[in-house]
Amino acid sequence: MLLHGVYVLLLAKVYTLGDLSQAYPIMRGISPLLVPIFAVLILNEHLKFIGWVGIVSIVFGILLIGGLKRKALNQTMVYAIAVGVMITGYTLVDKYALHYVSAITLNEFSNVGNLLVLSWVALRSGAIRKEWQVNWPTIILGGALAPAGYILFLKALELMPVSQLAPMREIGTVFGTIFGVFLLKEPQGKSRIIASIFITAGIIVLAP
């Protein structure tokens, strides 16, 4: 799946531009809103009114984490929007593909897409050996956890509508907030905890 590879490239670009607190809510807030809309329109899924309420609660919580102040569109935001669109795209495509292949097979196809898109960039940078020498434990851990986590998501996607599951996937934002507030002692703890409550409430509403 080339969409996965393009997603990773765009994500890396966002990280290099900085201001993650501005970009992250945009990246993670777009797909919980767009996926249900397109799932209803294209995949003929049905979502009750209370489900839409849950989605709005999740999106609001994500935006609240990043701050609700209006900001002028800049390069970081443009790339963040592109990342959100890619997440929407590959989530919908993966849901459709699961009608024909297993979760593990689909994950391997995604890995091939990543390989095709990212190999040229990685080799061109000439930093693979240095990166491995410095961060090899993190690379091994990430290499194990990332596909395992996505296979679990795909297995769940086999069992329930993507219009429900895609927004529920943002529970990771809640855990990240808890980690940042209580372990890293990051600022704006109160507002982020409130935002996490909105996200959690939305997920509970969406739960089948």
Side-chain angles (χ1 to χ4, degrees):
M1 297 290 181
L2 294 178
L3 286 174
H4 286 269
V6 175
Y7 155 74
V8 174
L9 282 179
L10 291 172
L11 185 64
K13 181 65 176 180
V14 171
Y15 287 157
T16 60
L17 292 174
D19 201 358
L20 188 60
S21 63
Q22 180 188 46
Y24 188 81
I26 298 174
M27 292 189 294
R28 303 311 310 183
I30 288 177
S31 64
L33 183 61
L34 292 185
V35 168
I37 292 173
F38 283 106
V40 170
L41 294 176
I42 298 174
L43 301 179
N44 296 318
E45 293 188 359
H46 176 70
L47 197 61
K48 296 180 180 179
F49 175 76
I50 191 65
W52 291 109
V53 172
I55 290 169
V56 170
S57 180
I58 292 171
V59 173
F60 177 77
I62 293 172
L63 294 177
L64 186 59
I65 287 177
L68 295 177
K69 294 181 180 179
R70 186 175 179 179
K71 301 173 182 177
L73 190 66
N74 55 38
Q75 189 179 29
T76 300
M77 295 174 68
V78 170
Y79 276 101
I81 291 170
V83 170
V85 171
M86 285 296 106
I87 295 173
T88 301
Y90 76 63
T91 301
L92 292 169
V93 170
D94 287 353
K95 174 61 177 179
Y96 183 78
L98 285 171
H99 289 94
Y100 304 98
V101 297
S102 68
I104 294 177
T105 301
L106 181 56
N107 184 69
E108 292 308 311
F109 275 118
S110 300
N111 289 336
V112 171
N114 286 334
L115 182 66
L116 292 174
V117 174
L118 300 177
S119 293
W120 179 78
V121 177
L123 292 173
R124 186 185 178 193
S125 70
I128 295 179
R129 179 176 296 180
K130 181 180 179 181
E131 189 68 29
W132 174 259
Q133 291 174 343
V134 175
N135 294 311
W136 67 266
T138 304
I139 293 172
I140 292 176
L141 183 62
L145 292 179
Y150 198 69
I151 288 174
L152 289 175
F153 172 70
L154 292 176
K155 293 298 292 184
L157 206 55
E158 290 179 334
L159 303 175
M160 64 184 298
V162 68
S163 56
Q164 288 179 275
L165 188 60
M168 293 173 68
R169 188 183 178 193
E170 300 311 316
I171 188 66
T173 306
V174 175
F175 290 120
T177 298
I178 293 173
F179 180 83
V181 171
F182 292 103
L183 295 181
L184 301 181
K185 307 299 181 182
E186 292 181 349
Q188 300 179 340
K190 184 178 180 180
S191 64
R192 292 183 179 183
I193 291 173
I194 293 173
S196 296
I197 292 173
F198 273 100
I199 296 172
T200 304
I203 290 171
I204 292 173
V205 168
L206 278 169

